[in-house]
Structure formats: structure tokens, C-alpha cells
Amino acid sequence: MRRTTVRIDEQLLNEAKAYAARKGRSLNSVMEDALRQLLNRSTEAAERPRVELITSTAEPGFQPWVQERLDAGEKLEHIFYDLEDEARIEAMH
């Protein structure tokens, strides 16, 4: 096996050494596993199908009846509680 010189941030290297010691592993095996995981993640990400997100065409803001109550000085949390009460009453019927 050919030896290669790699420069690693000293603090990161110390953390890796401590991790290896806690796990009873060699520093080399910890670094190999970390590189494998990084390479596998990038391969998996490239193979995933693209996800198309659906966006709303609705106008921003509150429903008109909610906005009217807000304009009249009510707090949004009170309007929300009213809706919860209505839902509980409907559930009882």
C-alpha cells in the first residue's frame, strides 16, 4: 500500500483519535469508515429521483372572515380557540 500525506485540522484529528480510543478502534479504521460514509451519501443522493414540490397558488394572508376579526382587534389565538370549540361541539353531535 502506498503512503499518502494528508493534512488534517489538528483539533479534528484529536477528536478522531479520542473517538477511536473510546470505541477501541484504530484511527485508520475510523477515518476509512468516515470517508466511505461520505462517498456513499453522495452516491445515494445522486441516484435519488428529483422531488417536485407543489406550491400553492393561494393569495397570502388570512381568510377574509379571520382578517375581519383581526381588524376588529381580536387576537389570532382567540379566533383559533373559537374554531377548536366549534370542532368539539360538532364532534359531539
Side-chain angles (χ1 to χ4, degrees):
M1 184 184 314
R2 187 175 146 218
R3 294 205 175 255
T4 304
T5 302
V6 178
R7 288 187 199 96
I8 298 177
D9 177 77
E10 192 172 332
Q11 183 177 352
L12 179 60
L13 182 59
N14 289 336
E15 289 177 34
K17 286 178 181 178
Y19 177 87
R22 283 193 311 273
K23 300 296 182 179
R25 297 175 58 189
S26 70
L27 176 61
N28 194 59
S29 73
V30 168
M31 293 177 73
E32 285 178 351
D33 282 352
L35 283 171
R36 279 190 191 98
Q37 288 178 22
L38 174 68
L39 295 173
N40 286 339
R41 274 198 311 258
S42 64
T43 301
E44 290 168 3
E47 293 172 353
R48 279 187 292 215
R50 184 173 171 85
V51 175
E52 188 76 28
L53 298 177
I54 300 169
T55 56
S56 173
T57 58
E59 291 292 320
F62 297 107
Q63 292 289 324
W65 64 271
V66 174
Q67 189 62 56
E68 287 174 16
R69 290 178 67 175
L70 290 170
D71 291 344
E74 287 189 63
K75 291 187 175 185
L76 187 57
E77 64 187 281
H78 295 153
I79 298 169
F80 176 72
Y81 291 137
D82 287 348
L83 292 174
E84 282 186 328
D85 290 343
E86 288 176 23
R88 279 193 213 106
I89 291 168
E90 286 181 25
M92 288 191 286
H93 294 294

